[in-house]
Amino acid sequence: MLKLYIGNKNYSSWSMRPWVLLKQAGIVFEEVRVRFDSFEANSEFKRAIGAVNPTGKVPVLVDGDLVVWDTLAIAEYVAETHPAQKLWPADAKARARARSICAEMHSGFTALRSHCPMNIEANLADTGALIWRDQAGVRADVQRLVDMWSALLQEHGGPMLFGQFTVADAYFAPVCMRLYTYALPVPPHIADYVQRVRALPGVKDWIDEALAEKDFLDFEEPYRLRHTQG
């Protein structure tokens, strides 16, 4: 059986991607949750995950004696070993497009990711309003998402980016969490897509389990701590 090592569901956007992909596709796997305590070299988290993954990061997929890290590599491996699930679009051009936007997410959207860290349990609409006002990079990242998603939804007719659920929707699921948590302004058809992603059974399971964690980590909560202390 596949084994997937992940971090806290409330905070770990990278862990969310392969977990949702496997869950939504109905692929059986064992979850191993490695709690974030800190990311220092001597932390329990680093010691535990470092025994599995040489980079000391989550997520990590283990299949027998094979260890796969990095979300794109995990997605490719799962798609190749489970072709019946059709995790990439069937059309070659659409498939190349899907891989391109996943790679863009993987290396881009740095302003959105740094200023709006994933925090499923929180309601950070007030913080989001300040970020939207002050951070041009976040506004640019969101506009890129709006342009990208609008074109794909129009071209493929929805309900997901390429019609049916693919790796691309799993890859952008944490972005949907951010847009929702921080109440960032998007057009109605994009807000509708966000809600459709949140309603996917695999995503809903992740959200429910994130809410059940109740594991407040101060180093993941800069905005709420600042509000409380200020």
Side-chain angles (χ1 to χ4, degrees), residues 5 34-35 45 48 76 93 104 109 111 124 136 157 203 211:
Y5 289 78
V34 185
R35 179 183 182 269
F45 170 80
E76 290 286 8
K93 290 183 178 179
E104 183 179 350
F109 299 97
L124 295 171
V203 176
L211 295 176

Side-chain angles (χ1 to χ4, degrees), residues 4-9 31-36 213 215:
L4 182 67
Y5 289 78
I6 65 170
N8 291 52
K9 287 189 170 76
E31 172 192 316
V32 182
R33 179 178 172 273
V34 185
R35 179 183 182 269
F36 293 155
E213 280 180 344
D215 187 14

Side-chain angles (χ1 to χ4, degrees), residues 51-79:
V52 182
N53 176 12
T55 71
K57 297 178 180 179
V58 287
V60 185
L61 184 74
V62 176
D63 186 9
D65 60 355
L66 174 67
V67 179
V68 186
W69 59 93
D70 187 275
T71 53
L72 275 177
I74 292 171
E76 290 286 8
Y77 180 74
V78 171

Side-chain angles (χ1 to χ4, degrees), residues 104-130:
E104 183 179 350
M105 179 69 251
H106 195 272
S107 60
F109 299 97
T110 52
L112 179 63
R113 292 195 312 204
S114 62
H115 292 290
C116 302
M118 193 175 84
N119 191 332
I120 291 173
E121 177 272 335
N123 180 342
L124 295 171
D126 290 344
T127 297
L130 295 176

